[in-house]
Amino acid sequence: MRPHVIWAVVRKEVAAGWASPRFQVSGWLIVLLSVVVSLAAADEYASRRNLWKRLQEESEKSLQEAQTWSGLSPLLLRPPEPLALFAQGFDSRLGREVAISTFSVPRQLSGDYRGNDFALHRNDLDLTTVVGVLLGFSALLLAFDAFTQERERRTGKLLAAAGVAPLELFVGKYLGLGVLLNLPLGLAAASSLALFARRHLLPLDASTLARLGGLVATYEIYLSLLVLLGVTVSLVSADSSRALSRLLFVWLVIFLAVPYVALNFGRESVAQRRLEREIERQVAAWEDGDLKALERDVKQEPLLAASSGYDSIFQIPDPEDRHVRFVRYGTASFYEATARVVAREIERGRHTAKRAFDAREGVAVRRRARERLAKGASLLSPSYVLDRIAESWAGTAAEDHDRFLGACRSFREQFLGHMDEKEVVRSWRWFTDDTRETLRPWPDFLDLTPADITPENRDAAIQLLYSPPASTRMEEHMERAGRDEARRVPVADLPRFDYTRPAAGEAARRSLPELGWLLALHLGLSAAALGWMRPARDVFGARA
Amino acid sequence: MGNRAAAVVFVHEVRQIVGSLRFAFVFVALAVLLALTALPAATRFELEREEHKEVARAFEAALEAGTVGGFTDQRVPAVKPPWPLLFAVEGGQMATPNRYYQELSRLSLPRLAHTEDGEARLPAVPPLDWMLVVRVALSLAAFVLCHDAVSTEREARSSRLVWSQPVTRGQLLLGKFLAYQTCLALPVAVGAAASALLFSAATGVALAPVAGKLACVLALGLWILAIYVLVALWFASHIREAATCLTVLLFTWVASVVVAPAVADIAARRLAPLPSEVAVKRHLEKIYDDVHAELAGRSERWRGKAGAVDGFAGEKLSLRAANVTYTRQEEFWRQVLRGRLDQARLARDLASVSPAYLVQGVAERLAGTGLGREHSFLEQVRYYRVMLAATIRAMDLQDPESHHFYFVSDYLSKRRLPAGGIDTFAFRELTLCEGLAASWRVLLVLLGETLLLAWATRRAFVNQAVG
């Protein structure tokens, strides 16, 4: 192989391709669409980031204002991934937050960044889509007649006469088309980067730059594969029309149809959903069992089983979570009894939470197996593989989501450990902001003692409590207590959730199998092309 | 004589097309893809049907032990039934909310939910239905088959011979057009029939009641096929080289199938932006604060029986505040929902620049799916709430012990709900006539485009240079 010959072919391909209407139309279309898609992606990301910041502020505020430990539920928010600007992946789909609770182990995130439920496309357009679909298509449209046009225009004879070897021509055309396609790719990527950097959406740290580098390298490998495919098909086809038709079939069946069909089939199954529903019934039965046990414990405590002047008439149940309690204006003995019952409830609840988590994970294993089959079949499609690798680099893959969930579970353990260290589970502070020093049983507002209240006169006493002057005194006390910071849960030493994105190295390691597959496809196509370029074959169509 | 000539051309063209390897690939690819649409659709249909039954069962169980007053705190579900034409024109049904929960009490706003859960770790792909196959595969198939309709004769030098025969160019074009249309319609018909039968067999759903809608969707598919064939013939008449012709057709395809909907969606988000989740939450909170500020902290007084001490004066004030707050919040929430529907509608209207998406829109309207179904669902659940409120009110009024505070559970009747006293939500699907009424204008536009294209193609074919 002679480098100067290859270089001459490269220059000729670039010059001819640059001047061709095909390249001009596709190139500008790609750049234009990239800018439009990037503008939209930037807006979406900015609004997600703002939402995330606001939710964080609100979460912090509600932590600071918590009055009981049962009401303390740190909200862990998954930060929107900056590189989702290039590959949305699962970033907007799988939820963004989880509230840490003693009674459940995090398995799914709630809330999402999906946007409009009724929209045509739900936040799934990004630069990777433009590269995968448009640039990939353009690669095929530029490469399909690499060899066939030499035959059709009879320039093959000239090349054969000039002593150009088929392999030199092949490599020259492949490299020339690669250089050509890098022009719109470079322009698209540069304009997107400039847009994001100008709006300060991208942190330009080493990890982000490394990931960006990985992303661009992936785009290059993908484009290279498509150019190789186009040139190889052109090599083996009799004419341009046939070459293009063949490429279209390959593109339609392998690039599009295979992943569409496989992923549609892999999505869900009736049997799986029935299993999941069965598990949910089982979990509900365990939780009902815990509730019944709680009711039995309550019946065994005289101060909890019957109303009197010793209990609290001020109870705020949380409709969203039956475990969150807030009571006030009870007596020390009432609170002691409640603490005993609540401690047992929490122990049962933690055990049930673990059982429920294990049961659900057990069922999810089957679902994952089915999904792996669908993903495996889809790997036939290079555009699908490109999307997966891009997601790994961008940190928007399903594995990144699961990594975040894993971090949430670890934090929950730390949080529970912190509460155990502080021994809050067996203390009053779990359910009331009253202390021994600030105790004020409700009969006190009527200038009575708890012992003065009997089951017979309790209703009348409560009626009096709701009338002035008792009701006014109680409302004033409630207002003062609400403002009293000493009644808040001390959160200064609470463990803080700190989540960092996986390092670029981990992203690289994760995408190695798919990258290896793309390179294997390269090798396969190259071997096929080399096999076709046997001496006996008339690659240039020089013979009449 | 003219018809015979066109028929001869038709038969000749059909023989040529059917005898080619390309057609074999196209036939198999289209028929298989169309047939495959049935299976994931059937799975989804079954899932939603089971979910629907579960929700109904849970609701009935909750009603059994319920009281009239307690019902006001009950989250009442309204479920959009599974769409029987998922395999033909999915219309976004797999992704849009299919459940609506509302309470009569003023404590919480309605909530939308959908069957799709947060467990799936698969990338999002468009659902496989006839319209997707028509948009993506059928268009490509038409372009691949038809792009060399004219150039093959030029290249074989047979065009002069053909033009010298007693057959007009118009008849020649007609023969070619009918040949391509027929050959491509065959795999569509076979695939569609297989798909319908498979779906019906897998789900047990009788398709006879929706046969009219199915026939309309199939007819639309064949209509857009005719447009694709005409487009291909138009370009083939203008561009001498087959490969160049196909390249141009492919750019048209990319613009129509990929670029147009993407840009339309982005444009719609810019032209009709939606308030952020935080903005919505803050506005709702502001409504609450404004209403309760007027009452200077005297609202939210629910003292139970103890309130009788002053004739429930505090409760009456609180009830007024709750009702005003709820009405304003609900109105705002509906406004946000309408905004979402409007944005989605705008995106679809903008995407209708592409004939493929114009036909998609018509198919959705005719079949009674898409945004029309969403809108109808939201209207019907609203009416359902009015009915529920009237039913509970009537039951409560019969109890003299009730304080008749609508709708605060502790102040309403404690009597048990009578068996079968509460109607469950029954969604009424849009009829074909309603679909026609909603789409006749767009159908006229499509007809106009088709006739214009047919005229332009005929003109281009007739005026092309012989060789």
Side-chain angles (χ1 to χ4, degrees):
Chain A
M1 286 223 292
R2 294 164 290 177
H4 66 276
V5 172
I6 294 172
W7 177 239
V9 174
V10 168
R11 277 197 348 247
K12 181 239 165 201
E13 278 303 312
V14 172
W18 173 263
S20 74
R22 261 184 277 169
F23 175 74
Q24 292 292 323
V25 168
S26 62
W28 287 115
L29 190 63
I30 285 160
V31 172
L32 208 65
L33 195 62
S34 299
V35 169
V36 168
V37 163
S38 298
L39 277 170
D43 284 345
E44 286 294 330
Y45 175 75
S47 81
R48 268 188 248 161
R49 199 174 61 172
N50 288 341
L51 176 64
W52 172 70
K53 280 183 183 161
R54 294 251 157 81
L55 288 172
Q56 268 205 317
E57 282 162 12
E58 283 178 12
S59 164
E60 188 57 39
K61 189 167 166 242
S62 103
L63 273 185
Q64 300 290 338
E65 288 172 358
Q67 289 168 298
T68 62
W69 279 91
S70 66
L72 193 69
S73 183
L75 188 70
L76 307 185
L77 291 154
R78 189 170 63 86
E81 179 54 58
L83 289 176
L85 293 162
F86 294 93
Q88 293 275 3
F90 290 83
D91 199 53
S92 59
R93 286 180 51 216
L94 288 181
R96 59 168 192 242
E97 65 194 43
V98 66
I100 296 298
S101 159
T102 306
F103 297 93
S104 70
V105 179
R107 276 194 76 246
Q108 286 184 31
L109 303 185
S110 59
D112 57 43
Y113 299 112
R114 276 190 230 228
N116 191 352
D117 277 336
F118 304 108
L120 264 179
H121 292 101
R122 306 245 297 270
N123 302 342
D124 55 5
L125 294 164
D126 49 39
L127 190 66
T128 302
T129 312
V130 174
V131 168
V133 177
L134 269 159
L135 198 55
F137 210 57
S138 302
L140 295 179
L141 288 181
L142 289 174
F144 78 93
D145 61 354
F147 274 86
T148 52
Q149 96 181 313
E150 304 291 0
R151 289 187 210 116
E152 285 160 2
R153 292 179 190 174
R154 309 269 194 262
T155 48
K157 289 182 186 177
L158 290 172
L159 288 166
V164 175
L167 187 58
E168 287 167 345
L169 190 64
F170 187 94
V171 172
K173 283 186 180 285
Y174 164 74
L175 289 175
L177 286 167
V179 166
L180 199 63
L181 283 163
N182 267 285
L183 295 172
L185 173 63
L187 208 53
S191 54
S192 300
L193 264 172
L195 188 86
F196 301 147
R198 192 165 166 267
R199 288 177 65 166
H200 306 291
L201 296 176
L202 267 183
L204 293 174
D205 51 46
S207 172
T208 307
L209 290 172
R211 285 161 173 275
L212 272 172
L215 204 50
V216 170
T218 306
Y219 292 160
E220 296 287 353
I221 295 173
Y222 176 75
L223 273 183
S224 160
L225 180 67
L226 264 65
V227 169
L228 189 58
L229 176 65
V231 176
T232 304
V233 170
S234 181
L235 181 67
V236 309
S237 301
D239 56 60
S240 299
S241 174
R242 220 169 287 199
L244 190 52
S245 302
R246 284 173 182 169
L247 280 171
L248 270 180
F249 276 124
V250 166
W251 192 79
L252 176 67
V253 172
I254 295 182
F255 282 61
L256 278 192
V258 163
Y260 270 23
V261 170
L263 292 173
N264 265 281
F265 272 84
R267 204 190 289 272
E268 52 213 343
S269 84
V270 178
Q272 176 68 25
R273 201 60 84 85
R274 278 188 193 141
L275 203 56
E276 286 167 1
R277 219 176 275 131
E278 191 48 49
I279 292 297
E280 290 309 313
R281 277 194 208 109
Q282 181 68 70
V283 169
W286 291 335
E287 287 171 352
D288 277 343
D290 287 353
L291 189 61
K292 287 191 172 73
L294 173 67
E295 285 165 4
R296 281 194 300 271
D297 287 344
V298 164
K299 280 192 183 121
Q300 282 168 9
E301 295 281 351
L303 284 179
L304 300 183
S307 303
S308 65
Y310 293 87
D311 61 21
S312 162
I313 49 95
F314 185 97
Q315 299 191 55
I316 301 179
D318 188 327
E320 296 294 318
D321 183 351
R322 66 173 190 228
H323 299 291
V324 173
R325 293 192 179 74
F326 180 71
V327 300
R328 223 187 245 162
Y329 307 127
T331 57
S333 47
F334 173 76
Y335 289 156
E336 290 298 331
T338 306
R340 283 192 294 273
V341 165
V342 161
R344 285 196 288 276
E345 184 198 22
I346 290 170
E347 198 184 316
R348 280 191 298 265
R350 285 189 189 181
H351 177 66
T352 300
K354 176 92 184 34
R355 277 173 95 191
F357 175 78
D358 290 342
R360 288 169 175 143
E361 283 295 291
V363 162
V365 160
R366 289 190 202 203
R367 182 195 274 246
R368 300 281 171 261
R370 187 189 169 90
E371 287 172 355
R372 269 197 300 276
L373 265 176
K375 286 181 196 174
S378 303
L379 284 174
L380 277 172
S381 162
S383 59
Y384 173 84
V385 176
L386 168 73
D387 286 340
R388 299 294 76 73
I389 301 174
E391 281 167 10
S392 291
W393 284 116
T396 57
E399 289 82 358
D400 295 296
H401 172 88
D402 290 339
R403 187 174 174 277
F404 178 80
L405 269 174
C408 293
R409 286 193 281 271
S410 301
F411 175 78
R412 177 178 175 269
E413 293 304 315
Q414 277 181 45
F415 180 66
L416 295 184
H418 176 79
M419 287 200 298
D420 289 342
E421 259 177 63
K422 295 230 166 225
E423 295 179 350
V424 294
V425 166
R426 294 179 188 281
S427 79
W428 297 3
R429 287 302 267 124
W430 183 261
F431 50 82
T432 183
D433 60 352
D434 280 339
T435 60
R436 289 187 191 278
E437 292 77 30
T438 62
L439 271 180
R440 190 168 177 182
W442 65 268
D444 186 60
F445 291 98
L446 299 169
D447 297 322
L448 296 169
T449 67
D452 294 333
I453 307 295
T454 63
E456 293 76 30
N457 68 13
R458 192 173 190 273
D459 283 350
I462 292 189
Q463 284 215 354
L464 282 173
L465 190 62
Y466 278 119
S467 319
S471 62
T472 313
R473 271 193 275 169
M474 195 167 179
E475 279 165 17
E476 281 168 4
H477 187 273
M478 273 165 55
E479 219 173 306
R480 277 199 309 273
R483 286 196 305 265
D484 184 1
E485 296 213 358
R487 284 178 173 262
R488 308 260 165 91
V489 172
V491 294
D493 60 345
L494 207 59
R496 293 291 165 177
F497 182 64
D498 187 23
Y499 176 73
T500 50
R501 290 186 291 163
E506 189 184 326
R509 186 190 49 77
R510 234 194 282 147
S511 47
L512 270 178
E514 282 99 354
L515 275 170
W517 171 237
L518 284 184
L519 292 171
L521 285 173
H522 269 84
L523 281 172
L525 277 172
S526 305
L530 276 172
W532 196 261
M533 280 185 279
R534 291 196 306 262
R537 287 226 185 261
D538 179 16
V539 169
F540 297 115
R543 293 189 206 118
Chain B
M1 182 68 172
N3 286 341
R4 256 185 87 185
V8 167
V9 171
F10 169 77
V11 169
H12 169 75
E13 290 292 329
V14 166
R15 279 204 186 116
Q16 286 221 294
I17 294 166
V18 166
S20 69
L21 196 57
R22 254 190 298 179
F23 176 72
F25 278 126
V26 160
F27 190 103
V28 169
L30 283 176
V32 167
L33 274 175
L34 280 166
L36 283 176
T37 60
L39 300 172
T43 304
R44 183 68 187 203
F45 185 89
E46 279 301 327
L47 276 170
E48 287 192 16
R49 189 157 58 175
E50 285 206 0
E51 187 103 9
H52 194 160
K53 282 182 193 156
E54 273 296 312
V55 169
R57 210 181 355 248
F59 183 54
E60 273 169 29
L63 287 182
E64 264 171 27
T67 62
V68 173
F71 181 80
T72 59
D73 292 336
Q74 174 68 39
R75 206 169 252 185
V76 181
V79 181
K80 208 176 12 157
W83 176 234
L85 296 181
L86 276 175
F87 61 98
V89 52
E90 186 262 350
Q93 297 304 304
M94 287 197 197
T96 53
N98 65 349
R99 277 177 282 155
Y100 187 100
Y101 292 98
Q102 55 189 340
E103 298 165 14
L104 286 180
S105 82
R106 291 345 198 199
L107 292 177
S108 54
L109 289 172
R111 193 174 66 89
L112 287 164
H114 48 71
T115 303
E116 191 180 327
D117 62 2
E119 288 269 10
R121 296 288 188 273
L122 288 179
V125 285
L128 199 57
D129 63 356
W130 291 2
M131 298 316 293
L132 177 72
V133 175
V134 162
R135 260 199 326 273
V136 175
L138 186 60
S139 50
L140 278 177
F143 293 164
V144 164
L145 276 188
C146 307
H147 75 280
D148 57 356
V150 176
S151 61
T152 39
E153 275 160 7
R154 277 203 205 104
E155 282 159 17
R157 307 264 196 264
S158 58
S159 51
R160 282 182 191 270
L161 183 64
V162 169
W163 298 151
S164 69
Q165 299 301 312
V167 56
T168 65
R169 290 195 184 186
Q171 288 159 355
L172 197 57
L173 175 66
L174 182 64
K176 280 181 183 285
F177 169 77
L178 288 175
Y180 285 115
Q181 179 73 12
T182 307
C183 289
L184 283 165
L186 268 173
V188 170
V190 166
S195 166
L197 288 170
L198 272 171
F199 182 84
S200 184
T203 59
V205 168
L207 292 178
V210 291
K213 290 183 179 180
L214 260 182
C216 286
V217 171
L218 188 58
L220 273 171
L222 295 176
W223 186 341
I224 190 73
L225 169 61
I227 292 177
Y228 294 146
V229 172
L230 285 171
V231 165
L233 288 174
W234 187 85
F235 278 108
S237 305
H238 278 101
I239 302 172
R240 301 186 74 89
E241 282 180 356
T244 309
C245 177
L246 186 52
T247 309
V248 172
L249 280 169
L250 290 173
F251 275 121
T252 314
W253 182 88
V254 165
S256 165
V257 173
V258 177
V259 175
V263 171
D265 193 59
I266 292 169
R269 279 190 257 154
R270 279 268 163 137
L271 294 170
L274 300 175
S276 68
E277 194 177 316
V278 169
V280 169
K281 192 175 162 206
R282 289 211 172 147
H283 191 90
L284 291 171
E285 283 168 1
K286 186 173 181 304
I287 290 172
Y288 178 92
D289 291 340
D290 287 347
V291 169
H292 291 264
E294 289 167 25
L295 298 168
R298 286 171 292 133
S299 57
E300 299 291 7
R301 297 194 75 190
W302 308 104
R303 297 167 293 177
K305 285 187 290 190
V309 69
D310 61 358
F312 298 101
E315 279 76 2
K316 284 175 183 164
L317 203 61
S318 301
L319 182 64
R320 189 158 58 89
N323 283 339
V324 169
T325 304
Y326 182 85
T327 305
R328 287 188 198 168
Q329 284 182 334
E330 205 217 2
E331 181 49 43
F332 174 70
W333 182 80
R334 287 197 175 276
Q335 198 182 314
V336 169
L337 257 190
R338 269 196 306 274
R340 287 187 189 168
L341 280 169
D342 288 344
Q343 189 195 71
R345 199 169 286 119
L346 177 63
R348 280 163 168 76
D349 288 345
L350 291 173
S352 297
V353 154
S354 152
Y357 279 89
L358 185 67
V359 166
Q360 170 83 27
V362 174
E364 286 179 1
R365 285 185 182 94
L366 279 177
T369 181
L371 292 178
R373 195 169 191 246
E374 307 308 324
H375 180 79
S376 176
F377 177 59
L378 292 172
E379 287 301 304
Q380 288 184 44
V381 295
R382 199 173 185 181
Y383 180 65
Y384 177 57
R385 186 201 166 88
V386 169
M387 266 180 38
L388 280 177
T391 305
I392 292 298
R393 214 182 268 264
M395 286 179 188
D396 180 74
L397 282 171
Q398 287 169 14
D399 184 356
E401 289 183 26
S402 165
H403 301 295
H404 309 302
F405 281 5
Y406 303 111
F407 289 94
V408 186
S409 55
D410 289 342
Y411 300 85
L412 293 174
S413 171
K414 305 269 185 281
R415 286 183 183 174
R416 294 282 290 270
L417 281 168
I422 301 290
D423 291 328
T424 47
F425 176 75
F427 179 68
R428 187 188 71 79
E429 298 282 1
L430 295 167
T431 62
L432 186 55
C433 291
E434 283 168 328
L436 275 166
S439 55
W440 69 269
R441 283 187 193 85
V442 186
L443 277 168
L444 281 178
V445 168
L446 192 60
L447 183 63
E449 283 183 10
T450 311
L451 291 172
L452 186 64
L453 184 57
W455 173 82
T457 305
R458 188 180 184 283
R459 199 178 139 89
F461 190 84
V462 162
N463 291 339
Q464 62 167 312
V466 170

